């Protein structure tokens, strides 16, 4: 008998002997020695190329209880064998069928830990291959889990993202097409992996208004939050010529949709402010702002703004207050700051009209107003560039002066009025006068130059709000300059109204006291 055939019989016979011994035992009587012998014999079958015989053993109905308890031990040698075979090899296909069978038959808890251990132990070039290989069986097992499902889903997603994060994100067209490490493909596979759990939350929420699997929602939201940072904010999202289905543009859309879907299923005001002590949570608004302001995909910008609002809505009042302070300090974008200031106004309105709220009245609010009612560079601030923020700030101040009587002073605005005038209203008035004078002089200069020129179609450049505009005719430049003046007039009209309201209310109080 040839030696190779003899070894084949030995490996399979050893496995059969252990199986026959265990078949006569009750499940509770399996010993540690049985598990070890089964693992060693199963591993030897795989290493010696006898996957077909091992598959027969696993599929045999008589061995169901044995495989349920011991099968998970085969995951590590099975993964190693799959990677040794080429894609088209029959033995690789048999190993994949074994993996699928183990996902169906094994104890879900034990197999879950075995799969997670494999993902944790992989490194370097095999990370994406291993993750993609095990995503399907891992999903199958998680869907079977009854206890600690949310925790297990969260642990799986966190482990996967921790393994992917050190990998370099393909950036150039060539790198994306080559996808050397498989990261592009893997990221999209991970989103598909998470979808059934999002669908479960959606389905159960729609089925019953009392359903509230807060833990699963939170775990899925954590995954979406991590994905914003990596790979989204490090990925090249421009449409690249020659790449029809851009993997990261696809991933970006998917992850944003998942995030929105999860947040929509959460109750407003249900997230406690304590969550913002965790970096993943406090970074989200800043990451969304980067996507809103830097992402070349227009629909992503709009969607990110919707998600930012949803994210704000889900926090309790102290959480909202913390988010507003954070965004006012970090966004560096007048449009975003204006949007946040409108949100602050809405919260003050709720505090004054519906329920007591210490965070948007009194000394907490005054601290927030110090950030809102100020000009970054005093009278020298670029009013055109900051017009969104300035208009929102003036509208907020106008609302406070109208809504909060000086005798009540619930918001504390009347106590700090002197500071507001010194830090905001006076420098704004000076800045407006300077800006209007400058732009009016520019308009006069352009008109005179046009008269001297032979044609009004002379092409030249103009600088607006510190940025050099594309080459334009004199007529086009004049339109831009007039538009800037219109913005200043708008700011000035609201400023005048605020000053008038303050004067009227202050005079009325003085008359009452005299």
């Amino acid at each position: 008998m040839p030696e190779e055939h003899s070894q084949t019989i030995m490996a399979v016979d050893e496995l059969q002997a252990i199986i026959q011994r265990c078949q006569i035992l009750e499940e509770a009587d399996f010993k540690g020695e049985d598990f070890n012998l089964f693992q060693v014999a199963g591993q030897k079958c795989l290493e010696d190329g006898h996957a077909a015989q091992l598959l027969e053993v696993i599929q045999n109905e008589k061995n169901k209880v044995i495989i349920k308890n011991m099968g998970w031990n085969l995951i590590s040698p099975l993964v190693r064998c799959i990677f040794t075979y080429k894609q088209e090899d029959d033995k690789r296909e048999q190993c994949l069928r074994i993996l699928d069978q183990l996902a169906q038959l094994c104890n879900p808890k034990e197999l879950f830990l075995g799969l997670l251990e494999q993902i944790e132990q992989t490194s370097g070039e095999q990370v994406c291959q291993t993750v993609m290989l095990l995503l399907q069986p891992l999903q199958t097992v998680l869907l079977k889990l009854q206890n600690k499902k949310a925790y297990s889903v969260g642990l799986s997603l966190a482990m996967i993202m921790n393994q992917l994060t050190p990998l370099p994100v393909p950036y150039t067209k060539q790198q994306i097409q080559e996808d050397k490490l498989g990261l592009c493909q893997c990221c999209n596979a991970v989103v598909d992996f998470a979808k059934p759990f999002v669908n479960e939350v959606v389905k159960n929420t729609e089925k019953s208004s009392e359903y509230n699997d807060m833990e699963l929602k939170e775990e899925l939201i954590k995954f979406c939050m991590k994905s914003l940072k990596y790979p989204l904010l490090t990925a090249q999202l421009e449409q690249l010529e020659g790449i029809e289905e851009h993997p990261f543009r696809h991933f970006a859309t998917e992850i944003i949709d998942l995030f929105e879907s999860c947040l929509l299923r959460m109750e407003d005001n249900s997230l406690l402010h304590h969550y913002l002590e965790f970096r993943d949570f406090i970074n989200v608004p800043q990451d969304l702002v980067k996507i809103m302001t830097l992402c070349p995909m227009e629909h992503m910008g709009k969607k990110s703004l919707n998600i930012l609002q949803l994210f704000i809505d889900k926090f309790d009042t102290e959480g909202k207050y913390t988010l507003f302070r954070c965004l006012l300090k970090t966004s560096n974008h007048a449009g975003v700051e204006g949007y946040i200031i409108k949100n602050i106004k809405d919260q003050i309105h709720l505090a004054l009209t519906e329920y007591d709220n210490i965070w948007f009245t009194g000394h907490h609010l005054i601290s927030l107003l110090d950030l809102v009612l100020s000009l970054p560079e005093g009278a020298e601030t670029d009013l055109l560039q900051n017009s969104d923020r300035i208009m929102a700030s003036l509208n907020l101040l106008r609302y406070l002066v109208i809504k909060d009587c000086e005798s009540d002073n619930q918001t504390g605005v009347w106590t700090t009025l002197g500071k507001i005038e010194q830090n905001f209203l006076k420098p704004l008035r000076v800045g407006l006068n300077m800006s209007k004078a400058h732009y009016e002089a520019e308009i006069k200069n352009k008109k005179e130059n046009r008269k001297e020129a032979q044609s009004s179609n002379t092409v030249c450049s103009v600088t607006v709000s510190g940025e050099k505009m594309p080459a334009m005719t004199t007529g086009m430049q004049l339109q831009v300059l007039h538009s800037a003046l219109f913005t200043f007039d708008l700011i000035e009209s609201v400023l005048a109204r605020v000053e008038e309201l303050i004067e009227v209310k202050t005079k009325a109080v003085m008359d009452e006291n005299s």
Side-chain angles (χ1 to χ4, degrees), residues 252-271:
T253 304
E254 294 274 278
I255 207 70
I256 285 290
D257 286 345
L258 279 186
F259 201 179
E260 184 180 47
S261 186
C262 290
L263 286 172
L264 282 168
R265 267 78 200 177
M266 294 189 79
E267 293 289 325
D268 285 354
N269 309 305
S270 62
L271 282 178

Side-chain angles (χ1 to χ4, degrees), residues 273-292:
H273 60 275
H274 303 299
Y275 282 103
L276 294 173
E277 294 170 10
F278 300 107
R279 190 186 301 170
D280 284 347
F281 276 87
I282 197 67
N283 282 344
V284 167
Q286 296 165 53
D287 293 342
L288 287 169
V289 166
K290 286 175 189 171
I291 294 169
M292 282 157 49

Side-chain angles (χ1 to χ4, degrees), residues 45 47 85 157 166 178 262 276 347 401 412 419 463 492 502:
C45 282
E47 288 171 350
Y85 296 125
L157 289 167
E178 284 179 359
C262 290
L276 294 173
Q347 290 303 312
V401 172
K419 192 177 180 182
T463 300
E492 190 172 37
I502 291 171

Side-chain angles (χ1 to χ4, degrees), residues 22 130 134-135 149 177 219 274 290 331 345 364 505:
C22 291
T130 305
L134 299 181
L135 278 178
K149 179 189 263 187
Q177 285 176 324
E219 295 298 346
H274 303 299
K290 286 175 189 171
S331 73
K345 177 174 168 284
H364 287 303
K505 285 214 167 187

Side-chain angles (χ1 to χ4, degrees), residues 398 402 492-502 504:
R398 178 175 59 179
I402 292 171
E492 190 172 37
S493 67
V494 182
L495 174 59
R497 177 63 178 146
V498 169
E499 290 172 332
E500 180 191 343
L501 284 166
I502 291 171
V504 168

Side-chain angles (χ1 to χ4, degrees), residues 198-459:
V198 177
N199 293 339
E200 187 176 318
V201 167
V202 172
K203 186 179 173 184
N204 288 329
T205 307
E206 288 170 354
K207 194 189 298 180
S208 167
S209 58
E210 294 176 8
Y211 173 84
N212 186 26
D213 191 348
M214 190 69 171
E215 286 184 7
L216 184 54
K217 291 175 193 172
E218 286 176 8
E219 295 298 346
L220 291 166
I221 285 171
K222 284 178 194 172
F223 162 65
C224 293
M225 293 188 306
K226 281 188 177 179
S227 301
L228 293 182
K229 183 74 73 183
Y230 177 96
L232 263 195
L233 285 174
T234 49
Q236 159 67 274
L237 294 176
E238 295 281 356
Q239 185 59 60
L240 298 170
E241 192 178 337
I243 299 182
E244 285 185 26
E245 184 62 39
H246 190 313
F248 287 121
R249 284 170 75 93
H250 177 71
F251 176 79
T253 304
E254 294 274 278
I255 207 70
I256 285 290
D257 286 345
L258 279 186
F259 201 179
E260 184 180 47
S261 186
C262 290
L263 286 172
L264 282 168
R265 267 78 200 177
M266 294 189 79
E267 293 289 325
D268 285 354
N269 309 305
S270 62
L271 282 178
L272 300 177
H273 60 275
H274 303 299
Y275 282 103
L276 294 173
E277 294 170 10
F278 300 107
R279 190 186 301 170
D280 284 347
F281 276 87
I282 197 67
N283 282 344
V284 167
Q286 296 165 53
D287 293 342
L288 287 169
V289 166
K290 286 175 189 171
I291 294 169
M292 282 157 49
T293 55
L294 301 174
C295 183
M297 300 161 70
E298 189 180 342
H299 75 279
M300 281 285 290
K302 291 176 181 175
K303 201 78 169 244
S304 297
L305 181 61
N306 292 343
I307 290 173
L308 177 62
Q309 187 60 61
L310 281 171
F311 193 73
I312 290 167
D313 292 343
K314 302 310 163 191
F315 274 92
D316 60 17
T317 49
E318 186 177 347
K320 288 181 175 69
Y321 180 89
T322 305
L323 285 172
F324 295 156
R325 286 191 72 90
C326 175
L327 281 165
L328 287 172
K329 288 180 177 180
T330 61
S331 73
N332 297 316
H333 189 280
V336 173
E337 289 162 5
Y339 186 81
I340 294 305
I341 292 165
K342 286 173 192 168
N343 263 274
I344 291 170
K345 177 174 168 284
D346 292 341
Q347 290 303 312
I348 295 169
H349 180 72
L350 286 173
L352 293 177
T353 58
E354 292 190 19
Y355 55 87
D356 289 337
N357 178 351
I358 62 164
W359 293 98
F360 292 95
T361 55
H363 71 276
H364 287 303
L365 177 60
I366 294 303
S367 174
L368 195 57
L369 291 179
D370 285 344
L371 289 174
V372 173
L373 302 175
S374 64
L375 292 176
E377 292 159 39
E380 301 293 322
T381 300
D382 188 328
L383 302 186
L384 200 59
Q385 195 169 18
N386 288 278
S387 59
D388 286 347
R389 179 197 169 115
I390 291 165
M391 283 297 291
S393 299
L394 284 170
N395 281 322
L396 171 58
L397 183 54
R398 178 175 59 179
Y399 170 83
L400 291 171
V401 172
I402 292 171
K403 197 75 181 174
D404 192 13
C405 299
E406 191 171 355
S407 55
D408 294 337
N409 196 23
Q410 284 177 270
T411 62
V413 70
W414 293 101
T415 312
T416 192
L417 198 56
K419 192 177 180 182
I420 293 168
E421 287 179 333
Q422 193 63 38
N423 293 346
F424 183 59
L425 298 178
K426 284 180 182 177
L428 180 56
R429 172 62 69 188
V430 173
L432 275 171
N433 292 337
M434 287 164 55
S435 298
K436 286 181 74 174
H438 171 72
Y439 277 81
E440 283 164 356
E442 278 285 318
I443 289 170
K444 185 180 178 183
N445 189 33
K446 294 292 174 194
K447 284 180 177 176
E448 286 173 0
N449 288 344
R450 184 161 70 172
K451 286 176 187 174
E452 292 172 12
Q454 290 180 342
S455 166
S456 64
N457 290 327
T458 305
V459 175

